Amino acid sequence: MKLLLFRASARVLWQHPWQLALALLGIATGVGVVAAVQLTQRSAQVALADAQSSLAGPATHRIEARQGLLSEAVYLRVARALPGLKLAPVLRGAVQVAAADSEFLALVGIDPLALSGDADSPTDLAARVHWAAFIGRPDTAVMARSTAHRLGLQPGDHLAIRSPTGPRSLEIIALIESPLLAETLLVDIASAQEILHRPGLLSAIDLALPEGAAGEQLAQTLAQLLPATAQLDAIAGRIASNQALTRAFDTNLTALSLLALLVGMFLIYNTETFLVLQRRTLFAQLRALGVSGWELGGLLLTEAAVLGLVGSGLGLVLGVALAQGLLRLVAQTINDLYTHTTVSAVALPPALLCGMLAIGVIATVLAAAPPVLEALRSTVRRGLASRPEKQREVAHHRRCRRLAYAALALSVSLTLWPSRSLGLGFAAMGCALLAGALLMPWLLSTSARSLLKAMVLARRPAAALGVTLVARHGRRQGLAAAALMAASATAIAMTIMIGSFRISVSEWLSQLLRADYYVGLLDNQGDSTLRLRDIRETLVQLPTVGTTSAVIRTRQRSSRGDVQVLAYDLPLAARAGFRFIAGSAEALWSHWEREPVVMISEPYAWRHALAPGDSVQLRTLEGFIPFRVAAIFRDYASEQGSVALSYPIYTRYFGEAPLNGLGIYPAPGVSTDALGNSLTRATAGLPLRVQRTSEVMGQSMQIFERTFAITEVLRLIALGVAIIGIVAALLAQQFERLREYGVLRALGFSASEIVEVVLSQTLLLGVVAATCAVPLGYALALVLIEVINVRSFGWTMPIVVPWPALGSAWLLAVLAALIAGLYPAWRALRALPAAALRDE
Amino acid sequence: MNKKLWPVVLLGLVGLALIGRLVGVSPTPLTSPDNIARILHDDAQNAGYARVLGPRAFEFPRDHAAHPNYRHEWWYLTGHLEAADGTRQGFQLTFFRYALSPQAVVSTSHWRTQQALLAHFALTDETTQRFIHHERHARVALGLAGASDTVGEIWLNDWRLTQTGAAGGWQLQATTPDAALTLDLQPRKPLVLQGDQGYSRKSEAPGNASYYYSIPRLAVAGTLQRGDTQVRVRGTAWVDHEWGTSALGAAHSGWDWFALQLNDGRELSFYRLRQIDGRADGLSRGVVVSPNGEARPLDLAALQMTPLRWWRSPVTGIRYPVVWRVVCVGEQLDLRLEAVLDAQEWPGSLRYWEGAMHVTDFATPTQTRGRAYLELTGYAR
């Protein structure tokens, strides 16, 4: 008997291949997107960890000179005192390519043997480079394939350079595939000292300390070993910012994957509903033959599980393919923003894949449960008149509305709840979406009813029939509309959020970048033979230069961990560039260069719950000293936040430090171009980056766009999946009606009227869903900006609505619904009335 | 076929195409650690180094020291320890010196060097069946690592091997996060020149040879620290010192080497050069040392080595023969060599298997005949 049941089930599916394909597509897309996002997250995390350990080894700490370079005596001292510790010396500098005057390459000296160490798997570098030549022969170098390609170099070629010791010729002994080494010559530490003429000096010593108490004890021992001129710092700052990055990605990605799963579940629900409804007669017959409800329910759920398994399998394949594309984007973002990394392969942890498969099957069975239950109930009540059905519909709408109001109330209270939890923020968004979805069937029925009168008045019977069909099947149509609305609203919310963010960043930058030109060192390490301080003195002498600003970027120990400290030497004109969120400009500037006051960035204030009047303890030359917070400034530069103080105060408490950047203001009456020309002449041949403000701004905005490129792509994927799903659902519904349309044809409806019946349904659905999505999307954007962004990054921004983008989102939703109607309309036209009637 | 099925078929095809795409994705390139045999056979890099072309007069203690004009050189200490608490350990400490370039370069940098050291330290704990191994690698620079060319003294940070007398006494010191070993080694037999008076040919090509001597039995005493506990240890050891510029021929895939110390006072060592076709090279040689210290050379015909059991490394996937039958008719020996622990593989930058062995009578395996160390190289495909 059971076998017979299963064969009956298989035959039904076999005879409705469209439905079967749509069901599988629904499950596969849902599972596929979730899997893709999960895999991308995993691989991105692995890539970040790799990036950390690829060059410096698994370095956790770095010894650097407090100022300038480190004597290699420090290396000897540490190596002798702690012989088991793996130490990696680094010397950085820049050299000029002889063939191209303005072109500089970074030169990084390492000891490859210090990297290979105690590991069972030698580092990539050790394996790919024949380092007997690298170490044993002077003036040998390794470079990235991309850079070599650009310079037209092959392994074995020589590159003529100008170095502090004069012209030299470096033999390129190997090329490696690594963005890590873009625009860099990697040389042995001995070669680096020779080429840069830095005998006995190092930029840094990287080392790996174990975690926990043993590591802390070692760090203390080290700190005591080091001379006063050197300091040991955890590379934790970088790791922490990487974690913040991963968290930000995670949040974005998780939210989108949940949306995809929801849409997937909706598709499954829709398909299951159809598969069950279609077989009502069969079920009734089976029940009459003595098949129990349990047996029937078991059969249908098993069927769902099998569909779920096959669909999830396909989904995993789709997901892995998708993840590969996404990963490239993630890698791009990581490279642009944080650190160079090579993300090459998608990691495929079996546990994750199995989990995804299980989620797919469980979601399918869960989504199938309601229609199955309903089928079992209704087979008993089969043949009841339509009136109670209508009453049930009304009762259903009422229930949904009540639930919707409850969800809305919950959403509002979750948003307002004073908490720092991201989870609560997402829950608030989820509740708002749910409320919208619950209201959808009722909204659809109501608008259909009110439209009906208009259609009748306009003497469009076909459209009126279509609208009536929508009103009558409000529950199922409503579900498709709800899914379309949810997808569209999410897309709108993200568009508003990203748009607002873009405008805020752009305004912030144009405010902040007050100088006409910015000058920085190319190797950006501050240990070049060139000192920006000297450059500044030279440039100030130029008649075209009016005044200059300068900044020192350092990391200092605070009572709350390491923090980025910015020391600004600002002319009055630059001061207006800062926008304060709290505290007063007057209070700050009046004490700025005289007392230990600081301004802190918004993320720093958020992270440490600081307000003007509080103080920040910084470790100075005299020990820990409190710096009073006078103001909080708007800053999108760092998620970790920073503390800024004036240059005189910095040197008083921390000593002298090399400058990291200069801002150049023109003398009165001098044009930007004239200033630029004189700067170019004055700095010709020096390893300096001289950039016009518009260039700096353009680059910053480019980085911004790239950061959000992945979000943008994910948004499109989620929306695409939703639209595919909704089109599939609408298609399925319209296929059900093909016979009815055949009957209509037989009753004398013209071809164009049939098309009108079909399209009026899907168009109405599309318009209602797209229209409701606009206010809901705005509400979600509010939560994203005011809650999620603040809790993730600690920065606020004014909300700006990009109307054209909203319009296109609306159009896209309507268009999707319309497209879903086209094919069924065409099929309806071709359906032979006689065949349809015969089937009836 | 049912025509309505085409959407299902289409979906299936898309799925298959995606699977194909995934399978076609090339994996990330695996790092390929250097094979010892490849390092030792690299004719292109040999120009400028001294070559081993014929027998020479050895001079001790000078020849315990480094010979930096030759391209590579190693000091190999293996042995068996018994602690006061009855636990047993096998140990290995190897210093492998290799030249990076034949020409000395005048430089302002203290990091500039022509020499590098690779050191391996391993302990095989018979009781807990654990193999701990640590690798260190450093350039010979800044005084942190080096090998003296006047006396036997080789060091890499705090791993150190120091000669303590002309007869071949040594002191050994090696510290790792999980163990620290300090040993004093005193020779119990005179040193043995391997091959033809220390001239050990590895292939027919001139220069493919090394200078090679062994100290076949040393009495060992010292301390072993594991964690917070320190125990006194005693035992026996074997020292090999070998140097040259190129060793293996192009047709060689690797070698099997063992050093056997029998309870009856005899020692036996043999290196079997394996050709790529799997056969043993006719230049394979060994030596047997009588209880009174007389050495007698062995050639390939004098000894049969048969692998009895193989072990596949879960780390590298390489198969190694870890149980052997060794028959030496001339010495009336028919022995079974069995690894104290299968997993004694070095999976790092040089891949080989080096491990402590039980030596029993082949006919009556319960009868212990002595101890040995076995080295297997070139088994990676």
Side-chain angles (χ1 to χ4, degrees):
Chain A
M1 185 69 196
K2 254 206 173 123
L3 191 69
L4 198 70
L5 284 178
F6 279 110
R7 278 175 55 188
S9 146
R11 182 156 306 156
V12 170
L13 289 177
W14 207 241
Q15 280 169 354
H16 295 86
W18 267 107
Q19 296 294 343
L20 181 58
L22 289 175
L24 290 179
L25 180 72
I27 301 165
T29 42
V31 171
V33 172
V34 179
V37 168
Q38 290 288 332
L39 289 171
T40 312
Q41 263 170 316
R42 287 292 174 94
S43 306
Q45 277 162 4
V46 171
L48 278 169
D50 282 355
Q52 287 287 321
S53 60
S54 53
L55 235 203
T60 60
H61 287 69
R62 170 167 296 169
I63 299 172
E64 280 174 304
R66 290 191 190 277
Q67 206 177 319
L69 294 172
L70 198 65
S71 160
E72 72 190 16
V74 176
Y75 183 94
L76 275 174
R77 191 191 283 196
V78 175
R80 290 214 174 99
L82 300 165
L85 205 60
K86 223 167 83 184
L87 303 172
V90 183
L91 178 63
R92 294 171 199 275
V95 292
Q96 200 173 12
V97 178
D101 258 0
S102 57
E103 172 130 21
F104 282 85
L105 293 174
L107 187 99
V108 178
I110 57 160
D111 181 3
L113 297 190
L115 299 172
S116 65
D118 211 5
D120 280 350
S121 56
T123 61
D124 277 5
L125 203 65
R128 285 185 204 155
V129 177
H130 191 306
W131 29 259
F134 185 81
I135 304 171
R137 296 214 309 268
D139 292 349
T140 51
V142 168
M143 67 198 307
R145 191 173 297 281
S146 55
T147 313
H149 185 74
R150 192 175 58 71
L151 295 171
L153 292 168
Q154 301 281 337
D157 287 354
H158 283 76
L159 173 69
I161 57 158
R162 289 195 199 121
S163 72
T165 47
R168 274 177 182 261
S169 171
L170 299 190
E171 186 191 348
I172 308 301
I173 56 167
L175 302 180
I176 56 181
E177 300 287 352
S178 170
L180 209 93
L181 290 176
E183 308 302 307
T184 300
L185 285 162
L186 190 69
V187 299
D188 184 56
I189 187 80
S191 297
Q193 288 190 339
E194 291 159 4
I195 295 167
L196 299 171
H197 193 53
R198 294 265 178 235
L201 294 172
L202 302 173
S203 300
I205 304 168
D206 285 346
L207 49 128
L209 297 183
E211 278 181 36
E216 276 168 35
Q217 204 180 340
L218 262 174
Q220 277 182 6
T221 316
L222 269 167
Q224 281 162 5
L225 269 173
L226 295 181
T229 52
Q231 63 184 12
L232 174 76
D233 279 314
I235 311 184
R238 261 185 285 162
I239 295 168
S241 67
N242 282 340
Q243 279 164 352
L245 161 86
T246 322
R247 216 180 48 236
F249 270 131
D250 277 2
T251 330
N252 255 325
L253 298 180
T254 309
L256 285 163
S257 73
L258 287 177
L259 184 72
L261 188 66
L262 269 178
V263 173
M265 276 184 78
F266 154 71
L267 292 182
I268 297 162
Y269 171 80
N270 191 68
T271 315
E272 285 293 329
T273 310
F274 169 77
L275 287 174
V276 170
L277 288 184
Q278 184 126 89
R279 284 178 285 177
R280 268 189 188 175
T281 327
L282 177 69
F283 296 155
Q285 286 162 354
L286 288 173
R287 291 299 296 275
L289 286 173
V291 177
S292 77
W294 282 109
E295 279 173 312
L296 204 53
L299 164 78
L300 290 172
L301 290 181
T302 314
E303 181 187 289
V306 171
L307 277 180
L309 196 65
V310 176
S312 307
L314 285 173
L316 281 189
V317 176
L318 183 75
V320 174
L322 210 57
Q324 283 177 338
L326 284 177
L327 202 54
R328 230 163 282 145
L329 279 168
V330 172
Q332 182 68 50
T333 312
I334 296 173
N335 282 350
D336 288 344
L337 286 183
Y338 295 88
T339 165
H340 285 295
T341 174
T342 41
V343 193
S344 44
V346 175
L348 296 175
L352 183 74
L353 296 181
C354 291
M356 286 291 128
L357 217 54
I359 287 179
V361 174
I362 291 169
T364 312
V365 172
L366 280 182
V372 168
L373 286 179
E374 194 175 311
L376 293 182
R377 273 207 309 267
S378 64
T379 41
V380 186
R381 284 189 255 163
R382 196 170 165 268
L384 287 182
S386 68
R387 193 170 159 71
E389 182 102 33
K390 196 182 172 188
Q391 278 176 354
R392 280 221 322 269
E393 181 106 3
V394 170
H396 177 77
H397 284 333
R398 199 180 304 127
R399 256 200 326 272
C400 282
R401 276 207 307 279
R402 280 185 196 146
L403 275 175
Y405 298 145
L408 202 62
L410 188 60
S411 170
V412 172
S413 21
L414 283 177
T415 310
L416 298 178
W417 190 263
S419 154
R420 294 188 157 224
S421 151
L422 261 185
L424 284 187
F426 278 116
M429 285 183 71
C431 284
L433 270 174
L434 184 68
L438 282 169
L439 281 178
M440 211 60 223
W442 173 70
L443 279 171
L444 198 59
S445 296
T446 313
S447 27
R449 288 210 180 84
S450 38
L451 209 60
L452 186 58
K453 284 173 201 146
M455 290 297 140
V456 173
L457 282 177
R459 292 170 195 274
R460 301 217 58 110
L465 181 61
V467 170
T468 315
L469 283 172
V470 172
R472 253 222 335 252
H473 298 282
R475 259 171 92 177
R476 280 193 63 207
Q477 301 252 23
L479 208 65
L484 183 58
M485 184 215 54
S488 183
T490 315
I492 288 173
M494 292 181 72
T495 307
I496 295 179
M497 191 269 280
I498 296 172
S500 305
F501 203 177
R502 182 182 292 117
I503 289 172
S504 305
V505 168
S506 157
E507 278 181 3
W508 165 71
L509 277 173
S510 54
Q511 279 284 336
L512 191 69
L513 302 175
R514 298 242 141 188
D516 285 31
Y517 272 87
Y518 286 88
V519 176
L521 285 177
L522 264 182
D523 70 355
N524 210 15
Q525 288 294 313
D527 55 40
S528 148
T529 34
L530 199 64
R531 286 170 171 278
L532 273 183
R533 201 178 300 279
D534 306 333
I535 303 282
R536 189 184 192 188
E537 268 160 31
T538 316
L539 295 182
V540 168
Q541 306 297 322
L542 294 176
T544 48
V545 172
T547 175
T548 61
S549 65
V551 65
I552 297 170
R553 279 182 219 103
T554 61
R555 289 194 76 78
Q556 299 293 345
R557 188 84 23 102
S558 83
S559 54
R560 295 176 175 84
D562 283 4
V563 58
Q564 183 179 44
V565 171
L566 305 169
Y568 285 114
D569 186 7
L570 298 172
L572 283 178
R575 290 186 181 180
F578 290 91
R579 283 282 170 273
F580 298 108
I581 290 160
S584 81
E586 262 179 24
L588 176 74
W589 300 126
S590 58
H591 299 100
W592 177 242
E593 295 191 335
R594 274 175 277 149
E595 288 167 41
V597 295
V598 294
M599 55 176 165
I600 59 177
S601 75
E602 189 185 15
Y604 192 76
W606 162 261
R607 265 169 222 286
H608 302 290
L610 290 168
D614 293 343
S615 66
V616 179
Q617 296 266 349
L618 294 176
R619 194 178 69 179
T620 65
L621 296 175
E622 303 156 23
F624 277 100
I625 284 191
F627 288 76
R628 188 168 56 80
V629 175
I632 296 171
F633 65 103
R634 172 154 286 166
D635 180 55
Y636 299 114
S638 145
E639 288 162 30
Q640 296 302 304
S642 49
V643 172
L645 39 69
S646 74
Y647 180 77
I649 297 295
Y650 180 86
T651 46
R652 189 196 303 168
Y653 287 97
F654 299 91
E656 282 293 340
L659 302 180
N660 297 95
L662 300 177
I664 314 290
Y665 296 74
V670 174
S671 73
T672 305
D673 286 336
L675 176 67
N677 288 337
S678 67
L679 285 178
T680 313
R681 271 197 306 277
T683 60
L686 296 174
L688 289 175
R689 186 182 285 113
V690 180
Q691 283 178 304
R692 224 186 158 107
T693 303
S694 55
E695 282 177 71
V696 178
M697 178 114 185
Q699 280 169 5
S700 306
M701 289 315 290
Q702 208 181 348
I703 290 177
F704 175 88
E705 298 298 344
R706 286 204 196 143
T707 314
F708 280 97
I710 178 143
T711 319
E712 196 76 7
V713 168
L714 276 173
R715 183 177 69 98
L716 289 178
I717 288 174
L719 192 63
V721 166
I723 284 175
I724 290 174
I726 289 142
V727 168
L730 290 177
L731 267 178
Q733 287 175 10
Q734 292 301 325
F735 276 130
E736 281 177 62
R737 302 243 171 89
L738 279 182
R739 273 184 204 150
E740 295 174 35
Y741 299 147
V743 175
L744 289 180
R745 282 284 273 172
L747 288 175
F749 269 66
S750 74
S752 64
E753 279 171 331
I754 293 287
V755 173
E756 198 175 323
V757 171
V758 178
L759 292 188
S760 61
Q761 292 177 64
T762 57
L763 192 64
L764 173 61
L765 193 143
V767 169
V768 172
T771 311
C772 293
V774 174
L776 184 62
Y778 186 82
L780 292 179
L782 266 179
V783 181
L784 268 178
I785 291 174
E786 302 291 337
V787 180
I788 305 284
N789 250 324
V790 172
R791 291 181 189 175
S792 297
F793 307 104
W795 46 51
T796 57
M797 64 194 81
I799 187 162
V800 181
V801 180
W803 292 109
L806 282 196
S808 58
W810 189 89
L811 272 180
L812 190 64
V814 173
L815 211 62
L818 205 57
I819 286 168
L822 287 180
Y823 184 66
W826 182 65
R827 282 288 299 268
L829 281 182
R830 287 187 50 206
L832 291 172
L837 283 176
R838 198 166 49 241
D839 276 1
E840 270 302 285
Chain B
M1 195 174 80
N2 188 340
K3 272 188 183 168
K4 285 181 184 173
L5 276 177
W6 70 265
V8 180
V9 173
L10 201 70
L11 207 66
L13 282 178
V14 171
L16 279 177
L18 282 171
I19 291 173
R21 231 203 86 145
L22 294 182
V23 173
V25 169
S26 61
T28 44
L30 288 171
T31 55
S32 60
D34 283 321
N35 182 312
I36 297 179
R38 210 184 75 211
I39 292 178
L40 295 185
H41 171 72
D42 193 355
D43 286 335
Q45 307 285 331
N46 289 335
Y49 294 103
R51 304 297 295 259
V52 177
L53 295 166
R56 75 192 272 277
F58 283 76
E59 180 195 328
F60 294 100
R62 163 64 191 84
D63 278 327
H64 291 316
H67 303 78
N69 296 337
Y70 294 88
R71 202 162 153 229
H72 31 75
E73 177 162 27
W74 56 74
W75 296 260
Y76 235 109
L77 273 75
T78 51
H80 310 273
L81 303 173
E82 191 172 354
D85 59 8
T87 55
R88 289 182 164 278
Q89 310 269 349
F91 78 91
Q92 173 204 350
L93 179 69
T94 307
F95 284 99
F96 182 68
R97 175 195 66 77
Y98 60 99
L100 300 161
S101 130
Q103 289 96 25
V105 178
V106 179
S107 171
T108 51
S109 171
H110 299 122
W111 299 79
R112 177 60 63 208
T113 182
Q114 276 70 58
Q115 304 284 338
L117 278 177
L118 174 71
H120 280 174
F121 173 55
L123 283 171
T124 303
D125 192 320
E126 253 183 63
T127 322
T128 59
Q129 290 281 295
R130 271 189 60 208
F131 177 64
I132 61 162
H133 56 285
H134 290 278
E135 175 176 299
R136 281 188 184 175
H137 208 165
R139 66 181 65 213
V140 173
L142 302 140
L144 291 172
S148 160
D149 57 4
T150 52
V151 291
E153 179 157 35
I154 311 99
W155 71 98
L156 205 166
N157 290 359
D158 59 346
W159 293 3
R160 189 173 287 269
L161 186 63
T162 319
Q163 161 211 331
T164 57
W170 296 88
Q171 265 181 351
L172 172 162
Q173 194 187 324
T175 307
T176 71
D178 31 30
L181 186 64
T182 310
L183 295 179
D184 181 62
L185 303 94
Q186 289 304 325
R188 286 290 172 260
K189 293 216 176 153
L191 61 82
V192 172
L193 299 177
Q194 298 270 11
D196 176 8
Q197 291 302 300
Y199 169 57
S200 172
R201 292 181 66 191
K202 302 296 193 309
S203 87
E204 298 294 342
N208 274 358
S210 64
Y211 294 119
Y212 179 12
Y213 70 84
S214 307
I215 307 170
R217 194 179 289 255
L218 299 97
V220 172
T223 57
L224 171 66
Q225 182 162 357
R226 315 222 31 187
D228 292 332
T229 57
Q230 193 179 47
V231 288
R232 297 203 59 79
V233 290
R234 315 188 69 79
T236 56
W238 178 290
V239 173
D240 262 5
H241 182 193
E242 189 169 4
W243 63 94
T245 288
S246 71
L248 298 189
H252 290 133
S253 63
W255 67 80
D256 307 314
W257 169 95
F258 67 82
L260 246 157
Q261 291 162 325
L262 294 172
N263 293 345
D264 62 16
R266 280 182 292 174
E267 292 87 21
L268 185 109
S269 88
F270 200 83
Y271 61 85
R272 193 176 70 143
L273 290 168
R274 285 195 326 278
Q275 294 173 343
I276 288 168
D277 61 15
R279 288 180 304 152
D281 189 296
L283 286 168
S284 302
R285 287 290 182 276
V287 68
V288 62
V289 184
S290 72
N292 61 14
E294 276 171 46
R296 190 169 66 81
L298 299 172
D299 61 12
L300 187 58
L303 194 99
Q304 284 92 51
M305 294 174 69
T306 320
L308 298 179
R309 182 165 72 78
W310 294 70
W311 168 78
R312 182 188 291 279
S313 160
V315 180
T316 61
I318 301 173
R319 286 174 78 233
Y320 298 100
V322 292
V323 178
W324 291 78
R325 180 180 186 177
V326 173
V327 180
C328 182
V329 178
E331 290 290 319
Q332 294 174 326
L333 288 172
D334 186 0
L335 302 171
R336 178 185 164 89
L337 271 63
E338 177 158 17
V340 165
L341 173 64
D342 286 352
Q344 299 187 77
E345 183 197 32
W346 281 91
S349 47
L350 291 178
R351 283 187 178 171
Y352 65 107
W353 192 99
E354 175 98 26
M357 310 290 286
H358 291 299
V359 180
T360 55
D361 194 75
F362 186 77
T364 43
T366 49
Q367 190 190 344
T368 301
R369 298 291 305 273
R371 299 202 160 256
Y373 248 85
L374 173 69
E375 177 174 288
L376 307 166
T377 74
Y379 282 91
R381 286 196 196 161

